[in-house]
Amino acid sequence: MTLAPSVFLALLACVVCIYWALPSRWVTARAIVLVAASSIVVFLISPAALFVAVVTALTTSALSYILASRPSRILVWSGVAAIIAILVYSRLTPLAAGALTAIDLAGSAFFALKGTAILSDAYRFERTTRPLDALVLILFFPTYEAGPIEQPGTLNAAKCEAKPDVEQLVSGVSRILIGLAKQSYLAPVLIGGLEAQYSPWTPASSAGDTAADSFLLWLILKWLVIYIMFSGYSDVAIGSARLFGIKIRENFNFPFLARNLQDFWKRWHISLIDFMSGYVYQPFVRRTGWRFRGILVLFLLTGLWHAFNPQYLLWGLLHGTAMIAMARWQRSETGAEVRRRIDGARPLALVYGGASRVLTLLFVVWVSAIGSSETWERALFVFTLGAI
């Protein structure tokens, strides 16, 4: 969260009061209040980001009417290319070392996906998105910077028709407090401090003399910091939306309990993987028939969505390769026979289930540390488990 929690909470309280002062039948007025409040919040984060996000919303809305009535592959791909160009610019300019004037486009990774969804839905399903709906979808301030990623059909002006619900309001406040506790205390103070203590790159230690157990502990703590911070963002977003009577989807479902890598990606950043599956993987497979290549494309693009660097390309390659290997194994006769034998012996099934969960978590924390490494040299160090 870019804004200080006190500023965010003060703005949220004011908007909630204004929002519920309007009758439930005034759906459009409520939606306008949300857009206006969201515009203020985004402006405080980055005026340039607000301008680009509004232009993206209004442009994609206008194009949705054209594409719905007269589908044009050239037009839809031109629109998507323009959105991708915005995302590429926001990713690359901070790395340009002064060669380009960087414009802070906070939240671009998220509004780029939403703009793409508007164009894709119009082209594939002839669904138009009204300007107000597009503005609500792209600017809604609880989800603007860090998601969860909603789609045109799940977040729009029509969602503003709810009536006050005390249970939802109490639940929303509780969720916000839990999220803020995660962001402000648990991750940075408790786990973040330990992660820094065991990091191979602390001043008191060097990468060459890091003990194996300390290195493993550092990997796990680093992943926990990312998970708790991100789940905290999601908690605040989901709780804030509930204060407006709007239901936002869950983004995490105890990912550390995942049975295997496929199960992990049903539990981790759920809104992102669902989006990439619906708008990248499924269209790719329908057009080409290449299921396994589609998995690799999905994770490579997901890696680049996180950051334009070789670390996240390697992150995508490792995830994609592992998912393809698992899919092939599950489809093979040998894999089916092994599963049959394991399911037939309960003690063996328990051991297999426990080992699978541990190995999945170890793989995830390893690949996560590679992707989030600050430099390529550090990513190689993690990739080789400290051998370099």
Side-chain angles (χ1 to χ4, degrees):
M1 183 186 298
T2 301
L3 293 181
S6 58
V7 175
F8 176 83
L9 291 176
L11 286 170
L12 178 63
C14 292
V15 179
V16 168
C17 292
I18 297 172
Y19 182 87
W20 289 115
L22 300 173
S24 58
R25 64 180 181 276
W26 292 12
V27 176
T28 300
R30 284 183 171 183
I32 291 173
V33 167
L34 286 186
V35 170
S38 298
S39 299
I40 293 172
V41 172
V42 177
F43 180 83
L44 292 175
I45 298 170
S46 167
L50 173 62
F51 174 77
V52 176
V54 169
V55 170
T56 300
L58 297 179
T59 303
T60 53
S61 172
L63 289 176
S64 74
Y65 284 89
I66 299 174
L67 290 169
S69 60
R70 186 175 298 178
S72 168
R73 187 176 299 176
I74 295 177
L75 183 58
V76 71
W77 278 111
S78 298
V80 171
I83 293 173
I84 292 175
I86 294 171
L87 179 59
V88 171
Y89 177 84
S90 68
R91 288 290 191 243
L92 293 183
T93 48
L95 307 177
L100 294 172
T101 301
I103 299 177
D104 180 14
L105 295 181
S108 60
F110 291 90
F111 73 67
L113 294 184
K114 296 170 186 178
T116 301
I118 291 172
L119 295 178
S120 179
D121 284 4
Y123 178 73
R124 292 192 296 162
F125 308 118
E126 299 182 356
R127 295 175 185 164
T128 59
T129 302
R130 298 183 306 158
L132 184 58
D133 291 333
L135 289 169
V136 170
L137 173 68
I138 287 179
L139 292 179
F140 187 52
F141 69 93
T143 64
Y144 178 80
E145 280 193 284
I149 303 167
E150 294 296 322
Q151 299 172 23
T154 61
L155 180 58
N156 49 54
K159 303 299 179 179
C160 300
E161 63 181 0
K163 296 181 179 180
D165 185 323
V166 175
E167 184 178 347
Q168 282 289 333
L169 294 174
V170 172
S171 172
V173 171
S174 301
R175 197 68 181 267
I176 291 171
L177 294 177
I178 292 172
L180 291 176
K182 288 180 180 179
Q183 295 176 40
S184 304
Y185 184 72
L186 185 58
V189 176
L190 294 182
I191 298 178
L194 290 173
E195 185 267 331
Q197 178 182 342
Y198 288 98
S199 171
W201 297 284
T202 57
S205 65
S206 63
D209 59 10
T210 303
D213 55 348
S214 297
F215 182 73
L216 176 59
L217 180 58
W218 171 75
L219 287 177
I220 294 173
L221 289 171
K222 185 177 179 66
W223 179 79
L224 279 175
V225 170
I226 295 173
Y227 166 56
I228 292 175
M229 285 293 290
F230 199 6
S231 67
Y233 290 138
S234 296
D235 287 334
V236 172
I238 293 168
S240 299
R242 285 180 183 175
L243 298 185
F244 299 106
I246 297 174
K247 185 177 181 180
I248 296 296
R249 65 178 306 164
E250 294 291 339
N251 224 7
F252 295 92
N253 182 25
F254 303 104
F256 44 84
L257 298 179
R259 300 186 304 274
N260 51 47
L261 196 57
Q262 290 176 335
D263 187 36
F264 174 83
W265 280 106
K266 294 177 181 178
R267 296 169 175 266
W268 175 274
H269 206 168
I270 301 169
S271 63
L272 173 62
I273 205 64
D274 281 356
F275 182 96
M276 297 299 286
S277 176
Y279 288 96
V280 175
Y281 173 75
Q282 293 176 15
F284 180 88
V285 173
R286 281 198 299 267
R287 178 170 292 273
T288 65
W290 297 338
R291 180 169 177 263
F292 296 126
R293 295 182 192 180
I295 294 174
L296 187 59
V297 168
L298 183 150
F299 280 101
L300 287 175
L301 290 180
T302 302
L304 288 175
W305 177 83
H306 280 87
F308 279 58
N309 60 37
Q311 297 95 291
Y312 266 107
L313 268 180
L314 181 56
W315 177 97
L317 180 63
L318 291 171
H319 268 301
T321 301
M323 289 286 282
I324 290 172
M326 178 172 292
R328 286 186 176 277
W329 167 258
Q330 292 176 340
R331 291 164 65 95
S332 68
E333 293 182 3
T334 303
E337 177 63 20
V338 169
R339 290 196 303 275
R340 186 186 65 80
R341 291 180 179 273
I342 290 175
D343 292 340
R346 183 169 177 77
L348 186 59
L350 292 174
V351 172
Y352 175 82
S356 178
R357 283 174 167 81
V358 171
L359 290 175
T360 297
L361 182 59
L362 291 177
F363 176 83
V364 166
V365 300
W366 173 58
V367 179
S368 175
I370 292 172
S372 59
S373 295
E374 292 80 3
T375 65
W376 175 241
E377 290 73 21
R378 290 188 177 187
L380 285 179
F381 176 82
V382 177
F383 176 69
T384 58
L385 301 177
I388 295 180

